[in-house]
Amino acid sequence: MASITIRASSFFLVFSLVLFLSIPNSATATHPVSAVFAFGDSTIDSGNNNRFNTLFRGDHLPYGRDFSGHIPTGRFSNGKIATDYLTQILGVKEVLPAYLDPHITDHDLLTGVSFGSGGSGLDINTATLTRVMDLNAQFELFEEALMRMRRVVGVEKANEIIENALFVISTGTNDMLYNAYLLPTRIIRYGSISGYQDFLLQNLHSFIQRLYGAGARRIMVAGLPPIGCLPIQVTINSILPSQHWLQRVCNVQQNVDSEAYNTKLQSHVRLLQTILSGAKVAYFDIYTPILDMVLSPTKYGFQQALQGCCGTGLIEMGPVCNVLDLTCSDPSKYLFWDAVHLTQTGYYFLAESGRQHLLPYFTS
């Protein structure tokens, strides 16, 4: 009789232990992302610029030729962009639409939109030059969207959605392209490229704090790509007198500048993580995966990594990437779609890097 009691006690002890271990722990439980809201430049603009009188538009073929329905939505790619894939990976929705898309409803806002504007940057002068929305204008649209959401589901539910949403920021490349390399007047004002980068990062720092004040608690901040490997910079590098004259190679110094910026950005992210109570702020390293795709293209199935698919692939983007241009027959073999932006395939691999290295942090 005693042995039966002991065996029964052992069974219940083991059963209780298994039951306890099967209960999700707060440290390991997953917390689904409710929505995705994106801010920045053409890397996350899904059509907002269609509403503006600017040259920085992708609402014409061959842009969008591989998107659903073969429609040029305004995305600066042949198909989806990284935020579309991230949204899909998170199970939020298939693609992330533009806030200014006339077909967007109040209910669509509940799962997120992009406020990005192609040609924008962290420097207000960049947006002024390109006649697009700066981050202040994008934030004002977010506030407008938040009011619309509150009318639909109430203040408490809308605030809950914002708290559990993922906020993606991707910007800074245009500032460097135009104000540091093409027309370096801003460098004169700030003394050096490093000084100008500090100015950009302080603006970004303030913007993230502004998002936090509006309720954002999960914030992903993309760094700069290897700017010296963008096809347009490779082209410019090849025609300037240097040891690489007429050679299509990356501009090493511009890549060094990008790395320096990204190192500083990571310091800002670490600081924000400590001062923004209850928030998760993380750096999205896009430099490393893009550079790896450039240096080892065949690993990703690419045949061309320093030339765009559209036209000659040397300088075309925006209005000069159009239906009059011949495009490559298979964009999936190209890392770049035009002289600045990735193909749908390139963005897919970028999003996969985010899935592996960042999304677990935001959902745990």
Side-chain angles (χ1 to χ4, degrees):
M1 186 69 176
S3 62
I4 295 176
T5 302
I6 293 173
R7 285 197 299 270
S9 300
S10 300
F11 170 79
F12 283 113
L13 178 62
V14 172
F15 177 79
S16 298
L17 180 61
V18 170
L19 184 62
F20 172 78
L21 292 175
S22 68
I23 298 174
N25 185 284
S26 59
T28 58
T30 58
H31 301 277
V33 170
S34 58
V36 176
F37 296 98
F39 301 81
D41 56 27
S42 56
T43 54
I44 51 91
D45 182 358
S46 47
N48 288 309
N49 274 18
N50 300 356
R51 315 296 292 177
F52 303 123
N53 182 24
T54 176
L55 293 175
F56 292 79
R57 292 166 61 149
D59 58 345
H60 56 273
L61 291 171
Y63 288 100
R65 58 174 264 186
D66 298 307
F67 196 77
S68 177
H70 310 291
I71 299 172
T73 60
R75 289 169 172 81
F76 291 81
S77 180
N78 61 305
K80 292 181 178 180
I81 54 179
T83 40
D84 293 320
Y85 285 116
L86 287 174
T87 304
Q88 184 178 348
I89 290 169
L90 290 166
V92 175
K93 49 188 172 187
E94 283 299 306
V95 295
L96 190 67
Y99 176 69
L100 294 181
D101 183 332
H103 299 103
I104 290 296
T105 68
D106 289 350
H107 280 89
D108 291 328
L109 301 178
L110 303 179
T111 47
V113 287
S114 172
F115 300 97
S117 183
S120 186
L122 293 164
D123 184 343
I124 192 171
N125 280 16
T126 304
T128 301
L129 173 69
T130 55
R131 302 178 67 178
V132 299
M133 291 191 294
D134 61 17
L135 285 180
N136 288 329
Q138 293 179 37
F139 185 82
E140 289 172 2
L141 288 183
F142 168 67
E143 289 182 311
E144 177 183 283
L146 184 53
M147 287 190 293
R148 291 172 61 182
M149 292 168 62
R150 286 169 174 168
R151 286 198 296 267
V152 174
V153 296
V155 173
E156 184 176 346
K157 179 61 178 178
N159 290 347
E160 180 184 331
I161 291 172
I162 296 302
E163 182 178 339
N164 291 302
L166 176 63
F167 286 75
V168 179
I169 305 171
S170 179
T171 187
T173 301
N174 292 322
D175 299 305
M176 295 299 294
L177 284 176
Y178 305 136
N179 300 319
Y181 303 134
L182 184 60
L183 298 169
T185 54
R186 302 294 272 173
I187 303 305
I188 296 173
R189 176 174 178 178
Y190 293 99
S192 63
I193 283 181
S194 180
Y196 182 56
Q197 289 180 342
D198 291 339
F199 162 72
L200 297 178
L201 287 165
Q202 189 53 56
N203 288 347
L204 177 58
H205 190 107
S206 299
F207 181 72
I208 293 173
Q209 289 181 305
R210 197 174 179 188
L211 282 179
Y212 177 82
R217 292 298 180 269
R218 300 175 181 180
I219 305 170
M220 176 190 292
V221 190
L224 293 182
I227 291 178
C229 293
L230 300 181
I232 192 165
Q233 297 306 99
V234 171
T235 299
I236 294 172
N237 193 48
S238 71
I239 62 178
L240 294 177
S242 72
Q243 61 177 327
H244 299 300
W245 187 57
L246 299 182
Q247 299 177 39
R248 292 197 62 77
V249 296
C250 298
N251 186 309
V252 175
Q253 182 56 54
Q254 291 179 4
N255 283 355
V256 169
D257 293 340
S258 295
E259 289 184 284
Y261 174 95
N262 291 339
T263 298
K264 294 179 182 180
L265 172 57
Q266 291 174 75
S267 295
H268 277 270
V269 167
R270 286 192 291 270
L271 175 60
L272 287 163
Q273 183 65 75
T274 61
I275 65 177
L276 300 182
S277 177
K280 290 186 174 183
V281 187
Y283 164 70
F284 185 9
D285 176 14
I286 67 172
Y287 182 98
T288 302
I290 292 179
L291 186 62
D292 192 53
M293 287 187 268
V294 167
L295 298 178
S296 305
T298 56
K299 186 166 71 174
Y300 301 87
F302 296 128
Q303 296 175 355
Q304 179 55 258
L306 290 178
Q307 189 171 314
C309 170
C310 185
T312 65
L314 307 180
I315 59 171
E316 292 88 350
M317 63 175 177
V320 292
C321 172
N322 54 54
V323 291
L324 299 178
D325 288 319
L326 294 175
T327 55
C328 66
S329 59
D330 187 357
S332 69
K333 301 300 182 183
Y334 280 65
L335 170 58
F336 289 95
W337 167 246
D338 60 20
V340 172
H341 306 98
L342 302 183
T343 56
Q344 175 174 260
T345 307
Y347 279 123
Y348 167 80
F349 286 119
L350 203 57
E352 282 298 308
S353 179
R355 179 211 289 264
Q356 179 180 352
H357 299 292
L358 277 183
L359 295 188
Y361 170 68
F362 286 113
T363 58
S364 65

